[in-house]
Amino acid sequence: MSDIIHLLPDAVANQIAAGEVIQRPASVLKELVENAIDAGADFIQIVMKDAGRTLIQVTDNGKGMSETDARMAFERHATSKIKDAADLFSLRTMGFRGEALASIAAVAQVEMRSRREEDELGVVIEVAGTRVFRQEAIQCEKGTTFLVKNLFFNVPARRRFLKSDNVEKSHLLQEFYRIALVNSQVEFSFFDGDEEIFHLPVSNVKARIENTFGKTLKKRFQQQLLPIETSTNLVSIHGYVGKPEFAQKSANQYFFVNGRYMRHPYFHKAVMLAYNNMIQPTEGPNYFIYFEVDTQTIDINIHPTKTEIKFENEQALWSILSATVKEALGKFNIVPSIDFDQEGAPEMPVQTISLENIRPPQTSFNPNYNPFSGSSYKRPEINWEKLYGGFEGDTAGAQLVPHFEEEEVLPEPNTQQDMHHVFQQEISEFQSTNFQLKNRFVITNVKSGMLMIDQHRAHVRILFESFLQQMLVRQASTQQILFPEILELHQDDALYFEQILDDLNAAGFDFNVDDRELVHVTGVPAQLGTESVVGLLKTLIEKARTTALNSATEVSENIALALAEASSIKSGQSLTNEEMSDLINRLFACENPNYTPDGKTTMVIFSQDEIVAKFR
Ligand code: ADP
Ligand code: MG
């Protein structure tokens, strides 16, 4: 038999590669505008027609291209921005992969005009489906114009996947905001058809933020932005955060690093901590936070559509960020107008903010823990002194802790430390004899009386925090499956699946997504204890469909909760004494042990007085 392996024709290879880079009109906008920024433009005009389906046009006044470069630009892996792998660690440009133009040209009809300042004539090139139809010298303005017409004209399946105009437009706007907010040195003009929907003049950062979201929101932003600013040898941070009373359901929350938009759920938590108790749990503050760090200390995601960025000093930055935001809120003497318990409000003295008071969350997850391995799992060695020793001298939160003996139910803790403190007090007489009631409740002796825990709910809380933490630091351990399970996705499902894919990966899932409609599940979170992985994923996709998931946090929390539910000890399961102790220990090590993530009570304390009273 003759040999059967051959190289794919360029057109096919490019189309396959394009699937990764160009998923919708918004991806085209992003790539073209980023190229214009990289070309040093200070004026960029965008035109979209039919939500980008029929046309996306980007014109810049940047440095333009020579005729040879103009042709070369459409080749795959052709870039002027990096030369070797080492350059990846000193990136200052938005692009570096050299695959955007090749990808766009593989799935659309592209016309490009470009001229460098020093050239008398420019060049026009027309490419469609990777084939070059025209290349000639022409007269044109300095700079570059791209017209991308009829996106996915040759990939009908992709075209059918596009959503309604409104959805596609909102994706387009989102990409635009992400670029405009961090490039206030550039003037932008954005047309939807014949109507200019944005005109953003060159300005300072604050004015750019205020202008970006349109006239109606301008005023709201003018009233609420507080500057933040800090500079250390690890990082400088500047930007603006919204006053707490302007918190809203789908807040505008943006992080940028070295001029690039990024998603960073872990840093998001640092900001949220600074707002602790100042806003309703369902709302979020607006923030626009710009980091500048040494390019050597970050790892820009190699994946073309992912916006996560890894930092070398994540924990230190976390603390600096949280302190900086806290300070900004304190400095402006925010007296929130919304109704909240003043006693519960954090103290915000400007002078005393020090990094030592703020600690990033630590992972307290034991990767070997699996309640489903065998009939009775081994309790991980817990050394009390080690676990809580750190809090011994920590009396800062003590006065905030209501007197335990007087309380029937554990009060909502103000901070994690408070809870540990309470626990430490309680546990001083802790005896490790537990009792299980109706295979549902775990009962144990505590200082003030009798503690009763709902075993399922408690375990959900424990696992939720553990999954969430792993997702935040992206250190979930994955268990590979030998025979991949197949997840069939129809039409819409694939889209929603893509929306949560990043988070599923962060949670420890591994997929082979060569085929958008037949996804192979090749790995699952090591902690996951469920029989139906496919069923679980379907539930999550359904959740993504039915809830408008606005913030990154919401997505992660939904996933963490579903995984926790699926992996938790159920009601009706009998537990050994050791298992019960372990459950109690781990519950009290939680950040918020009193309730399940969806707000159900996990534990109740019956005070001794209360019990004694019953015997009168
Ligand atoms: P990358 O941006 O990763 O280098 P692209 O495929 O987006 O890859 O672009 C390829 C090359 O084409 C760029 O490296 C740049 O040299 C050139 N180029 C693209 N767009 C422009 C533009 N608007 N102005 C000047 N040069 C451009
Ligand atoms: Mg590019």
Side-chain angles (χ1 to χ4, degrees):
M1 219 164 71
S2 61
D3 299 332
I4 53 172
I5 300 180
H6 55 90
L7 286 174
L8 288 174
D10 271 359
V12 181
N14 284 340
Q15 216 185 79
I16 294 171
E20 290 272 292
V21 191
I22 305 300
Q23 294 170 337
R24 49 172 21 120
S27 344
V28 175
L29 177 102
K30 167 178 185 281
E31 295 297 340
L32 295 183
V33 179
E34 286 187 350
N35 279 346
I37 303 266
D38 285 345
D42 59 16
F43 174 70
I44 298 174
Q45 187 198 57
I46 304 163
V47 179
M48 66 176 179
K49 285 201 174 130
D50 304 317
R53 270 175 241 269
T54 50
L55 176 73
I56 294 172
Q57 178 186 322
V58 175
T59 304
D60 69 60
N61 64 354
K63 65 180 177 207
M65 281 172 264
S66 73
E67 188 170 353
T68 322
D69 281 351
R71 175 65 190 82
M72 190 65 181
F74 287 99
E75 292 299 319
R76 198 141 49 99
H77 309 306
T79 180
S80 56
K81 299 170 193 173
I82 56 170
K83 290 208 172 66
D84 52 40
D87 291 345
L88 282 173
F89 298 97
S90 53
L91 277 179
R92 300 283 347 176
T93 53
M94 305 299 293
F96 60 90
R97 302 180 181 90
E99 52 187 0
L101 293 183
S103 299
I104 295 170
V107 294
Q109 298 156 348
V110 182
E111 180 183 323
M112 179 189 85
R113 292 160 189 266
S114 189
R115 182 173 72 81
R116 297 184 297 181
E117 187 149 41
E118 64 264 37
D119 298 332
E120 206 149 288
L121 283 181
V123 55
V124 56
I125 293 185
E126 284 182 35
V127 197
T130 302
R131 275 184 52 205
V132 180
F133 285 93
R134 175 179 172 213
Q135 170 166 6
E136 57 195 64
I138 50 150
Q139 289 201 315
C140 62
E141 292 284 310
K142 173 208 159 194
T144 307
T145 297
F146 275 93
L147 286 89
V148 175
K149 292 178 237 170
N150 303 321
L151 184 62
F152 301 135
F153 78 102
N154 55 350
V155 201
R158 274 266 152 160
R159 204 169 54 231
R160 276 198 300 275
F161 265 118
L162 294 179
K163 309 289 285 184
S164 71
D165 276 11
N166 278 342
V167 173
E168 292 304 335
K169 266 188 199 169
S170 78
H171 283 284
L172 282 154
L173 292 186
Q174 198 50 251
E175 290 298 349
F176 175 67
Y177 298 151
R178 289 175 182 182
I179 298 173
L181 285 167
V182 69
N183 287 288
S184 58
Q185 80 288 2
V186 179
E187 176 182 353
F188 286 94
S189 161
F190 191 156
F191 281 84
D192 180 1
D194 298 329
E195 187 197 351
E196 188 176 43
I197 52 174
F198 293 99
H199 194 114
L200 311 179
V202 173
S203 65
N204 59 27
V205 175
K206 183 157 188 274
R208 174 54 57 91
I209 296 169
E210 289 165 359
N211 289 330
T212 295
F213 299 95
K215 288 199 186 70
T216 38
L217 289 182
K218 185 168 178 170
K219 197 131 185 243
R220 267 184 78 79
F221 279 110
Q222 280 170 337
Q223 292 165 333
Q224 64 171 294
L225 296 181
L226 301 171
I228 60 166
E229 174 102 58
T230 195
S231 191
T232 71
N233 52 5
L234 285 181
V235 63
S236 39
I237 301 175
H238 70 101
Y240 293 88
V241 297
K243 293 182 187 167
E245 63 264 40
F246 284 86
Q248 58 192 76
K249 278 233 162 59
S250 43
N252 294 287
Q253 303 178 330
Y254 292 87
F255 284 128
F256 303 93
V257 59
N258 295 356
R260 183 187 300 274
Y261 169 81
M262 71 166 172
R263 215 173 84 98
H264 211 298
Y266 184 59
F267 288 168
H268 171 76
K269 251 198 141 174
V271 177
M272 294 309 285
L273 181 75
Y275 282 88
N276 197 15
N277 286 342
M278 284 191 258
I279 55 181
Q280 310 281 351
T282 52
E283 298 182 337
N286 294 299
Y287 63 74
F288 306 87
I289 297 176
Y290 303 77
F291 296 81
E292 289 290 331
V293 296
D294 181 348
T295 51
Q296 306 274 347
T297 64
I298 52 173
D299 187 355
I300 292 179
N301 212 311
I302 276 311
H303 193 279
T305 57
K306 289 193 178 161
T307 50
E308 278 87 2
I309 289 179
K310 268 207 167 21
F311 288 70
E312 205 173 274
N313 304 304
E314 230 152 60
Q315 295 218 337
L317 263 57
W318 194 100
S319 310
I320 296 171
L321 174 63
S322 199
T324 308
V325 175
K326 254 200 171 143
E327 188 186 354
L329 296 176
K331 203 186 256 168
F332 286 82
N333 206 1
I334 305 302
V335 184
S337 58
I338 53 168
D339 194 27
F340 74 85
D341 183 7
Q342 287 293 334
E343 269 170 43
E347 291 173 44
M348 293 182 284
V350 184
Q351 299 310 324
T352 59
I353 284 178
S354 81
L355 295 186
E356 286 102 74
N357 295 335
I358 301 174
R359 271 179 243 134
Q362 307 285 332
T363 319
S364 55
F365 149 69
N366 167 12
N368 301 320
Y369 173 76
N370 177 0
F372 292 86
S373 58
S375 55
S376 127
Y377 64 94
K378 261 260 142 301
R379 171 187 166 184
E381 279 297 331
I382 292 195
N383 176 344
W384 285 111
E385 258 132 51
K386 232 170 100 197
L387 253 181
Y388 297 99
F391 297 100
E392 213 105 71
D394 186 355
T395 47
Q399 65 273 28
L400 292 172
V401 180
H403 243 302
F404 221 59
E405 280 76 3
E406 298 160 13
E407 298 285 328
E408 286 184 28
V409 178
L410 277 177
E412 174 85 1
N414 288 318
T415 67
Q416 194 174 347
Q417 277 93 330
D418 296 345
M419 204 54 239
H420 286 299
H421 187 89
V422 171
F423 186 39
Q424 204 189 355
Q425 285 185 345
E426 280 299 315
I427 220 69
S428 55
E429 282 181 20
F430 183 78
Q431 290 165 9
S432 60
T433 314
N434 312 300
F435 174 76
Q436 195 183 18
L437 180 69
K438 307 249 181 230
N439 283 348
R440 172 167 177 199
F441 299 105
V442 174
I443 295 172
T444 199
N445 217 348
V446 287
K447 196 169 161 192
S448 57
M450 183 177 93
L451 171 70
M452 193 163 169
I453 289 177
D454 181 310
Q455 64 187 46
H456 168 66
R457 292 180 184 180
H459 202 210
V460 168
R461 163 52 68 185
I462 293 166
L463 292 175
F464 170 78
E465 289 194 7
S466 163
F467 276 118
L468 199 62
Q469 184 58 34
Q470 293 172 58
M471 288 171 76
L472 288 176
V473 296
R474 277 174 236 115
Q475 279 172 354
S477 29
T478 299
Q479 182 188 338
Q480 300 298 327
I481 5 190
L482 206 49
F483 300 105
E485 297 210 30
I486 293 180
L487 176 66
E488 260 184 82
L489 299 174
H490 304 292
Q491 289 282 339
D492 270 10
D493 289 353
L495 251 156
Y496 290 106
F497 175 70
E498 276 172 21
Q499 277 177 16
I500 57 172
L501 182 57
D502 271 4
D503 292 276
L504 291 174
N505 285 141
F509 282 101
D510 263 349
F511 302 101
N512 181 339
V513 285
D514 284 350
D515 180 341
R516 288 179 95 226
E517 294 178 23
L518 280 182
V519 170
H520 291 228
V521 188
T522 54
V524 297
Q527 263 187 311
L528 184 66
T530 181
E531 273 141 48
S532 171
V533 175
V534 167
L536 175 66
L537 289 167
K538 289 235 150 118
T539 314
L540 283 167
I541 292 168
E542 205 40 47
K543 217 164 187 170
R545 178 205 308 278
T546 49
T547 40
L549 298 170
N550 296 310
S551 69
T553 344
E554 256 176 286
V555 181
S556 329
E557 285 181 0
N558 264 336
I559 292 175
L561 177 56
L563 295 180
E565 291 274 4
S567 316
S568 57
I569 299 170
K570 302 289 178 295
S571 261
Q573 191 170 332
S574 107
L575 301 176
T576 65
N577 191 47
E578 277 205 322
E579 288 167 331
M580 289 189 263
S581 297
D582 185 42
L583 192 75
I584 299 166
N585 299 345
R586 284 157 49 99
L587 178 64
F588 278 93
C590 281
E591 211 172 301
N592 189 356
N594 294 48
Y595 301 98
T596 60
D598 45 355
K600 296 179 205 138
T601 304
T602 55
M603 62 168 108
V604 178
I605 287 189
F606 299 94
S607 70
Q608 193 152 347
D609 293 350
E610 206 179 335
I611 297 168
V612 171
K614 297 248 184 248
F615 286 93
R616 269 191 201 122

